[in-house]
Amino acid sequence: PNIDDIGDWLECKNTHIFSFGKAFRPVTLYLKFNVEHFYSNNEYLFDKNLPEKLFDTLKKYYRGRPALVFCGTRKGVVSAATQLQQDCGNLFIKSNNQRQILLDASQDIENSALKSSIKRGVGFHHAGLSVGDRRRVENLFIDSTLQVIVCTTTLAMGVNLPAHLVIV
């Protein structure tokens, strides 16, 4: 909706600004806005309560396909991933083979919270992790071994991941 503003900011001529609608997407995009489920007048309470409400939303739309959950801070990422891996049971583990791959991969993880979370099929990604941990999380997700990544926007910087569900 703000393509003209971005064009002005980039100092582009109108003839060089192109808008591509839904017809150009290879996969249909569905947008759902569940603000009332998370709504709070208090920003602190919103951030604090988000991890507890995340699992219900994820469970409702997950359908067994890879999902990304974006949070605003590193602390929020770890908090949401920790709560999610506690709530999920075995929802994100589809086979014994997948469980074994995640268990093996967790042995190489440096961050202790991530190590624990990976074993349940939930990873997280933020700039505070080592490069090796971030790459392992990305690769497990690309291979469809890891089903959910809770992340900051650092994951969106130059990494193309096959997510079917994105929660912001």
Side-chain angles (χ1 to χ4, degrees):
N2 63 344
I3 192 167
D4 292 326
D5 294 335
I6 292 171
D8 288 344
W9 179 64
L10 294 173
E11 298 177 357
C12 288
K13 296 178 184 177
N14 286 342
T15 56
H16 294 121
I17 298 174
F18 302 97
S19 177
F20 299 96
K22 292 179 183 180
F24 288 93
R25 293 190 58 78
V27 177
T28 305
L29 179 65
Y30 298 98
L31 297 174
K32 303 277 186 196
F33 296 93
N34 290 341
V35 290
E36 59 277 341
H37 184 67
F38 294 100
Y39 182 73
S40 171
N41 285 330
N42 183 319
E43 187 174 325
Y44 171 76
L45 287 177
F46 175 86
D47 288 344
K48 185 177 183 296
N49 294 329
L50 181 64
E52 296 168 5
K53 297 183 178 190
L54 180 60
F55 181 65
D56 291 337
T57 301
L58 190 59
K59 188 169 60 171
K60 183 175 181 179
Y61 297 106
Y62 169 61
R63 296 189 180 103
R65 304 186 99 184
L68 296 174
V69 178
F70 285 91
C71 295
T73 65
R74 294 177 190 180
K75 184 178 178 181
V77 164
V78 174
S79 177
T82 301
Q83 184 68 47
L84 193 56
Q85 64 108 3
Q86 290 171 358
D87 293 344
C88 73
N90 289 319
L91 179 64
F92 306 124
I93 306 292
K94 297 179 180 180
S95 69
N96 287 332
N97 185 46
Q98 177 194 12
R99 182 185 319 279
Q100 188 59 50
I101 293 170
L102 291 171
L103 185 60
D104 292 345
S106 72
Q107 301 304 313
D108 296 328
I109 299 291
E110 297 172 29
N111 182 285
S112 60
L114 180 58
K115 183 181 291 250
S116 173
S117 187
I118 286 276
K119 294 175 187 176
R120 301 299 295 269
V122 177
F124 62 84
H125 189 289
H126 59 68
L129 294 174
S130 70
V131 173
D133 282 359
R134 283 182 290 182
R135 294 300 170 257
R136 283 181 196 90
V137 168
E138 293 165 13
N139 290 332
L140 287 167
F141 193 78
I142 289 169
D143 294 342
S144 298
T145 305
L146 191 60
Q147 292 294 295
V148 177
I149 298 178
V150 182
C151 55
T152 59
T153 57
T154 58
L155 185 67
M157 303 299 173
V159 180
N160 188 9
L161 297 176
H164 288 266
L165 172 65
V166 177
I167 298 175
V168 180

